[in-house]
Amino acid sequence: MARNKYPEETRKLIIEKATELFLEKGYENTTLQDIIDNLGGLTKGAIYHHFTSKNDILLAVMTSIYADNHLLADWDKIIKDSNLNGKEKLTKMFATSLSDADEMRFASMKVDYKKSPELLSDYLNRTVNHLAPQYFEPVINQGIADGSITTKYPKELAQVILMLANIWLNPIVFRCDKDEMKNKFMFLCDMADKMGLGGVLDDIYPLFENYTN
C-alpha cells in the first residue's frame, strides 16, 4: 500500500492496527515490528512520524478506547435515576464498570503499568481529578442527604474508594493470584462498610471475579 498522504488517516490506521494486536497478543508480546507488518506497506518512519515509542502508541490506544467508551454515559443515566438512593446508585455504578465491554477490552491487553509510568500517572490523575468529583462525589452527597450513606468527608471518600478500586484492586496494575484478589476485594468491602458505604460492594463479587479471569 502506498503511504497515506493524509497524516491523520495514517495515525488513525496505526492506532487501529496496534489496538487489534494488543487485544490479540497482549501489549507486552506485541513489538513495533508487528505493528509495522500490519500497516500494509507503511514504514517504520511512518510510525515515528506520529509516535515516539510503543508506549506512546499505547497512550493513544487508551485515549481512543476511552473516547468511545459508553461507561460514563451509563453512569450519567444511573445518577439521574430518581428511583435509586445514593447507595444503590454507587452499587450500580461499580457493577456497570465491571461489566463494561471497553474496560474488559483494555484489561485483556495485559499492560504492565510498572513499565508505563506515564499511563499509570494518567490513570491516577483521571481517577482523582475527573471520575471522583464528577461522578462519585455527587452520588455520595445524595446518599448523605437521603440517609443511605453516612460520612463527613464525601470528597475524600469518593477519591479513596475510587483509587482503591481503580488502582489497588485493579489486576492490571497489581497482579496477584485468585485467593489474594478475593481477600483484597473482601477487605475493600469491609473498609467501605466502616467508611459509611454499608453494603455497596457486597453483592458484586461475581462480576469482579469474572472481570479478573
Side-chain angles (χ1 to χ4, degrees), residues 140-141 144 149-157 195-197:
I140 290 174
N141 279 321
I144 294 170
I149 293 172
T150 56
T151 181
K152 296 178 181 178
Y153 309 102
K155 177 181 179 179
E156 292 76 14
L157 179 55
M195 290 190 294
L197 298 176

Side-chain angles (χ1 to χ4, degrees), residues 58-131:
L58 175 63
L59 292 173
V61 167
M62 182 179 178
T63 298
S64 176
I65 287 176
Y66 284 117
D68 296 329
N69 197 331
H70 300 295
L71 179 59
L72 299 185
D74 290 338
W75 281 356
D76 279 328
K77 291 178 184 177
I78 294 169
I79 290 170
K80 294 174 183 176
D81 189 342
S82 59
N83 295 315
L84 301 176
N85 63 30
K87 174 184 165 183
E88 290 167 339
K89 287 180 181 181
L90 279 186
T91 297
K92 195 168 183 179
M93 288 167 72
F94 276 116
T96 301
S97 67
L98 289 173
S99 59
D100 181 75
D102 288 322
E103 293 286 333
M104 297 184 79
R105 283 176 71 211
F106 189 71
S108 72
M109 293 183 184
K110 296 180 170 57
V111 177
D112 187 346
Y113 274 80
K114 295 188 295 296
K115 297 179 181 179
S116 183
E118 300 96 335
L119 187 61
L120 182 57
S121 176
D122 178 75
Y123 196 31
L124 183 59
N125 181 66
R126 191 163 60 90
T127 295
V128 173
N129 295 321
H130 177 58
L131 300 182

Side-chain angles (χ1 to χ4, degrees), residues 6-65:
Y6 300 104
E8 283 306 311
E9 291 186 12
T10 301
R11 189 176 190 279
K12 182 180 179 182
L13 177 64
I14 294 169
I15 293 172
E16 287 176 353
K17 294 302 179 182
T19 301
E20 292 172 7
L21 288 166
F22 293 164
L23 288 170
E24 177 187 345
K25 302 177 64 173
Y27 173 74
E28 300 298 332
N29 293 325
T30 300
T31 65
L32 274 176
Q33 190 59 51
D34 291 331
I35 298 172
I36 293 167
D37 291 343
N38 282 269
L39 292 177
L42 291 179
T43 65
K44 185 181 289 187
I47 285 187
Y48 283 113
H49 178 75
H50 295 279
F51 302 100
T52 59
S53 63
K54 189 177 76 164
N55 187 72
D56 196 23
I57 296 174
L58 175 63
L59 292 173
V61 167
M62 182 179 178
T63 298
S64 176
I65 287 176

Side-chain angles (χ1 to χ4, degrees), residues 121-192:
S121 176
D122 178 75
Y123 196 31
L124 183 59
N125 181 66
R126 191 163 60 90
T127 295
V128 173
N129 295 321
H130 177 58
L131 300 182
Q134 188 164 335
Y135 294 93
F136 281 72
E137 187 180 343
V139 172
I140 290 174
N141 279 321
Q142 181 198 326
I144 294 170
D146 65 34
S148 61
I149 293 172
T150 56
T151 181
K152 296 178 181 178
Y153 309 102
K155 177 181 179 179
E156 292 76 14
L157 179 55
Q159 292 177 352
V160 167
I161 199 70
L162 267 187
M163 279 195 293
L164 290 174
N166 280 358
I167 308 296
W168 178 70
L169 196 63
N170 194 329
I172 62 176
V173 179
F174 293 107
R175 303 188 188 284
C176 56
D177 65 34
K178 197 169 183 179
D179 288 338
E180 289 175 315
M181 189 61 70
K182 183 174 183 179
N183 285 341
K184 288 173 73 172
F185 184 87
M186 295 308 174
F187 172 80
L188 185 59
C189 288
D190 188 53
M191 190 175 182

